[in-house]
Amino acid sequence: MNKSMQKYLDKAEVLIEALPYIQRFNRKIIVVKYGGSAMVDETLKERVIQDVTLLKLVGFKPIIVHGGGKEISKWVGKVGMEPEFVNGLRVTDEATMELAEMVLGKVNKSLVQLVESLGVRAIGISGKDGKLLTVEKKYADGEDIGFVGDIKKVNGDILYDLLEKDFLPIVCPVGLDDEYQTYNINADDAACAIARAMKAEKLAFLTDIEGVYKDPDDPETLISELRVSEAEELMEQGYIGGGMLPKLQNCIDAIENGVSRVHILDGRIPHCLLLEIFTNKGIGTAILNDEEERFYSGE
C-alpha cells in the first residue's frame, strides 16, 4: 500500500473513532467556557470557533460562555487605570465595570462574526438580556470588591429557545441584581451556572494549562479521567492549589448538579475541543461522577 493511500486510511480511522461520540452526544447540550490565550491569539481563536461550529453541525447543541479578562486588563491600562485583584478576583469599581462591559460586548460580537462566517447562525447575548443571569453581590473573604456578582438564578428558557431555533448562543458574563444594577461575573462561574441550569451533557473549560496533574511539576502525571471522589481526595491531600482549586471545585459542583462530564483543556493546542471529545484518550482531563463509565482504560 502506498503512502498516499495510507494517509487517507488514517483519516478514515480518525472519523470512525469519532463515530460513537457523535452518536452518544447527538442533540445533547455542551457548554464551552472560552478564555485564556485562545482568546488573544487570532489563529487559536479561529480554531476554537471552527471546533464549536463543527460540533454544532454534527448534531451537538453548543453554548459558548466567554471571558475577556486579558482584554479588559489591556484596556484598563490604556485609559491609565491600574487593575486591582483580591484573591484572583478583579476589583470592579463603577468606571471599571463600564469599561469591562464595553470590552466584553466587543469580544462577544467578534465571536458572533466568526461563527456566522462559517455558516452557522449565532446570537450574542449578555446575562442582562431577559435577566438571563440574576446575581447578588460577591465578596472575597468578606472584602468588598465592587460590582462583582455571584449568580443566584439562570433563566434557561432564553437559551432553550435559541437552541430550539437552531442558533448558537454566545454568552457575555455580565448580569443584573434585583435592583437592576450591572455586575461583572467570573466566566468560569457563569459557565458552571449555565451548564447546571441547562443540565448540559458536557462542560468544557479552555484554559492555559493542559489539565489536572497528580504532580504539577511532572507533565507525565497528567490525568486523563478523574472521578469526583478522586478529585476531592487530591484536593484534601494538597495536590491541587492556586487557580486550579476553584476551577476543580466548580467542576465538581457542576457534576453534582446534573452535568455528565466536565473537561479541562489547554486552549493553546489547536483543535483541543475536537481532540478531547472525539478521541478515546483525549488531551486534557475529563472529570466524571463515580457512577459514570470511563471512556479511556489507560492502554
Side-chain angles (χ1 to χ4, degrees):
M1 185 183 300
N2 62 44
K3 288 184 178 179
S4 178
M5 180 57 71
Q6 186 60 52
K7 181 177 69 174
Y8 293 123
L9 288 174
D10 290 343
K11 287 183 179 179
E13 284 297 323
V14 171
L15 293 172
I16 292 301
E17 186 177 349
L19 179 60
Y21 302 108
I22 295 173
Q23 290 173 320
R24 175 167 180 165
F25 301 119
N26 186 261
R27 309 303 295 164
K28 297 294 197 322
I29 294 171
I30 173 170
V31 176
V32 178
K33 187 271 173 172
Y34 178 35
S37 296
M39 292 197 71
V40 180
D41 184 297
E42 289 301 319
T43 301
L44 287 175
K45 185 186 290 187
E46 289 178 13
R47 299 291 182 267
V48 170
I49 297 304
Q50 286 172 351
D51 286 7
V52 178
T53 301
L54 190 144
L55 292 176
K56 175 83 169 64
L57 292 173
V58 299
F60 286 64
K61 292 183 174 182
I63 299 168
I64 296 175
V65 180
H66 67 84
K70 292 185 177 182
E71 189 74 6
I72 293 169
S73 292
K74 183 178 83 174
W75 280 94
V76 165
K78 277 187 176 183
V79 299
M81 297 161 59
E82 282 292 328
E84 185 183 347
F85 294 87
V86 174
N87 296 329
L89 295 169
R90 184 187 301 275
V91 177
T92 307
D93 59 16
E94 193 169 349
T96 304
M97 182 66 247
E98 186 176 359
L99 186 63
E101 189 170 15
M102 288 190 293
V103 171
L104 288 168
K106 179 178 179 293
V107 170
N108 186 275
K109 297 312 174 188
S110 73
L111 297 178
V112 170
Q113 185 177 351
L114 274 174
V115 173
E116 289 278 353
S117 73
L118 294 173
V120 167
R121 298 193 304 166
I123 286 190
I125 59 172
S126 160
K128 293 165 70 171
D129 295 323
K131 290 203 81 175
L132 172 63
L133 302 176
T134 301
V135 305
E136 58 190 4
K137 189 177 179 65
K138 186 184 186 82
Y139 292 88
D141 292 334
E143 189 170 340
D144 190 339
I145 51 175
F147 296 102
V148 179
D150 254 334
I151 297 173
K152 66 176 187 176
K153 183 180 178 184
V154 176
N155 182 3
D157 289 345
I158 296 171
L159 297 174
Y160 281 122
D161 285 348
L162 291 173
L163 293 172
E164 187 64 29
K165 290 178 172 59
D166 207 32
F167 286 103
L168 196 165
I170 302 177
V171 180
C172 169
V174 172
L176 294 173
D177 68 5
D178 291 334
E179 305 303 318
Y180 301 96
Q181 172 64 54
T182 302
Y183 283 81
N184 193 19
I185 304 166
N186 177 276
D188 282 3
D189 293 349
C192 278
I194 288 170
R196 291 196 306 265
M198 303 296 288
K199 294 291 188 283
E201 186 72 19
K202 287 180 178 288
L203 167 60
F205 287 99
L206 270 59
T207 68
D208 285 346
I209 54 172
E210 294 176 332
V212 179
Y213 294 96
K214 177 69 183 292
D215 178 359
D217 297 321
D218 183 359
E220 296 299 316
T221 63
L222 179 69
I223 303 169
S224 289
E225 290 187 320
L226 187 64
R227 297 196 186 279
V228 165
S229 59
E230 296 167 339
E232 290 174 333
E233 191 175 326
L234 286 175
M235 290 191 293
E236 287 170 8
Q237 293 174 352
Y239 286 106
I240 308 297
M244 179 54 74
L245 196 57
K247 195 176 295 290
L248 200 51
Q249 192 57 60
N250 264 334
C251 294
I252 292 170
D253 185 47
I255 289 167
E256 290 178 342
N257 283 276
V259 178
S260 176
R261 283 176 185 251
V262 182
H263 302 260
I264 298 175
L265 307 174
D266 188 346
R268 299 167 297 182
I269 300 174
H271 301 301
C272 61
L273 265 173
L274 300 187
L275 291 169
E276 174 68 7
I277 291 173
F278 290 145
T279 63
N280 291 331
K281 182 179 180 182
I283 59 166
T285 298
I287 300 161
L288 54 154
N289 67 40
D290 290 354
E291 290 74 41
E292 272 282 318
E293 174 192 355
R294 290 185 187 271
F295 287 165
Y296 177 64
S297 57
E299 67 276 343

